[in-house]
Amino acid sequence: MTVRTITTSTLKTLKNSVIGNPAAKLALAQDTALIHLLVNCIKHPSTSYVDTQGSHDDIRIESAHVIASISYGMCPYDSLLFKDQQFIPGSEVALVSLIHANALHAFLFALSNMKPHDPVQLKSALARGLRVLSTAIAEVVGPSQLGLRTWSPDLRSEAKVALSYLFEFDCLNIFLPLLADPSSQTNIAIAQLISTTVRSDAHRNAVIEWLPPAERSKEIKGRRGWEKKEMVNSTSPARQGGWVVRLLVNFLQKKDIKLQEAALSAISSLAMENTVVASTLARAWPDIVDPPLNIVLNLTKSRSTDVQLTASLCAAHILRANASHHPGSIDYSAALNVIHVINRVLSSSSETTQNKIKTCYTLYHLVKDDRDLCREVYERGTLEKVVLLAKHITPLERTSEWEEDEPESILALREATLTVIAAISLFDNNIRREVADDLHIVPTIQVSLSHKNIGIRHAACTCLRALSRAVSIIRTNIVDSKIGMELFAIFKKEDEDPRVTYAALNTICNLVNDFSPLRPKLLDQGLLPRLMQLLASDDINMRVGALWAMRNALRKSDPSTRQTVMTHLCWPRLVMLCNDSNTEIQEQAMSILRNLAEDEEGVDYVFESIDKETLANCITSGLESSNEDVTHHTACFLANIANGSREQQDFIFAHARIIHAMHDCMTDAKSDTRCPLISCIFSLVQSNVRRKHELNEAGITSTLRHMCDWTGGVISMSPGGHHRIHVDDDKEAAKLARSVLDLLEHSNIGDLL
């Protein structure tokens, strides 16, 4: 509809016309003149377009409502974030129009100029409008809080600028004080804003560290000039997670369910992967009876399912962040409270799809990358419930009608279930076999691989990657169902979403291992050309993944496979990658060299293809790397060379810098690197004990003697005390060192002449 005269009645009509109507929303978004008119109304309505039917405040309130209505739908699952809006597939055009019209600045400007006598409804409408618009912007910037999303690069670039502006100090000074506003509606809007817009550590820290002016001056005055910041009184808001966190914790103790839910969401976002906030919430505070974490856990038993779920997610983030600083210290009794809520929701036939989606992501954040928690939810039947849910909502017959008519909420639920199945199945073969053999998830993954929804394809690839870590599943389920080759077809598609390609690449890395029957077929059907395309990518993760696939394809390979791989990779490129500035790239390159030289024929192939000076430089660079994985693979490569011919062994001693680098690495490296280096020395000495002099000169013999003095501690080595061997529980290295010394000390004198 065309609107040129702004009145409360026309604004209400306009608001109602766009709710649930994507076409009307798009038409309004394309009317840039009207968008600018609405934005100007928020700042301050001009009397030129205000009539007697509405006051200035009414105009501003309704304008804020219209802009909020336009902003809804930019997050594909807005109804999962907030229940006050029905899901509508949004349009990027709407958000672009609002960003270009500086709507974000308009809301902040209006809030900064609020007067004490302004009506509460106006402040609440502005705060709510700011929350909705900011949420839409943050969802574009990502990472998404509810699955995988796709946005145009131009919109994402503009959204990043807008979100950065929102978290500038001057902007925080405008909206964060509203947490202390007398209006609970305003409190709720700002708490929700925090929960949905904090997506990065920088923004998280900006909110956590913010203090109102009065508290800032108190912090400065309360600290003597010589005191460090951490010496401030432990009861200060800064030491209790910050002013914002303290206020949010106070909200948890109110009886307002909406306020509790909003506060829990905000605390959840601030505690996510933040050890300082999490540890603060887990310990007792002087002015409240229970530690905040206990309050959160008590709220998992609320009568409101929404509060239960939000409290469960909040607890999950606190528990995981608190344990991240102390591995293995997860509070399992607290985690069981969360698991109980998850199991109840997943088992209920009356729970909404939206709640089940939230439950799956809560479970994901609880168990992600934690072997013990994955085992816990497996043993308590949670995994089985998720798998059965995924199968229940996934028809195995592919029809165009199915994909076209399927509700967005079901798509989101399928993505969520597959994502959490992948996370739980990542570490344990018993779990993987249960999922594949007993619960029969492979057909569900298979049909999801070809779904038009990017998030579902990505989740299916991730799920298959977890299952493909089991040798038995590759050799049976994956081969028999042909799902491996279906994934390979997705991997080869050049127009596929890069995130799906990367997820497929991670699975390919497993499918080309030496134990996989699919390795020859994948190599024959174009794996290497595709890997070379990805190696040329600007995405560092994609490059590392491509090299990792080549590394696995070379493990225990025959000469023909080695030559095929190196025909594509090329030796000069491999040398360059061995000296790459990125240690992840360097690690994969050194591992490729190691796998190429797994037997004598392979060692010969390397020496025939790389000149000795270049090879010596690669080895020295690898041993001197600050990255432990790089030094480990370099040490293993050296051990392979030591098992080669006498000429190849002599190559090591002919380059003094290699010997000295080996010595330095032995004194500083961990056991898994030290052991192959000592094995290398053992092979060299066993072949030619005349090398004893060179070992003495390099200080290696002395280092080996120190290793034999194993005490389970840290041994100081050199007279100057500048070398220290870390030998905690390094009995294997000490045993190998003794073998080398015995060989040197008991050799015949004639062998030394």
Side-chain angles (χ1 to χ4, degrees), residues 215 218-219 229 232-242 246 286:
E215 295 287 351
K218 191 184 300 183
E219 285 288 309
K229 186 175 181 179
V232 181
N233 188 327
S234 63
T235 61
S236 70
R239 286 300 301 271
Q240 294 187 357
R246 186 170 181 79

Side-chain angles (χ1 to χ4, degrees), residues 391-398 402 406 414 447:
K391 293 172 63 177
H392 176 70
I393 61 173
T394 307
L396 297 183
E397 292 185 12
R398 305 174 187 177
W402 165 52
E406 199 168 21
R414 185 176 303 117
V447 75

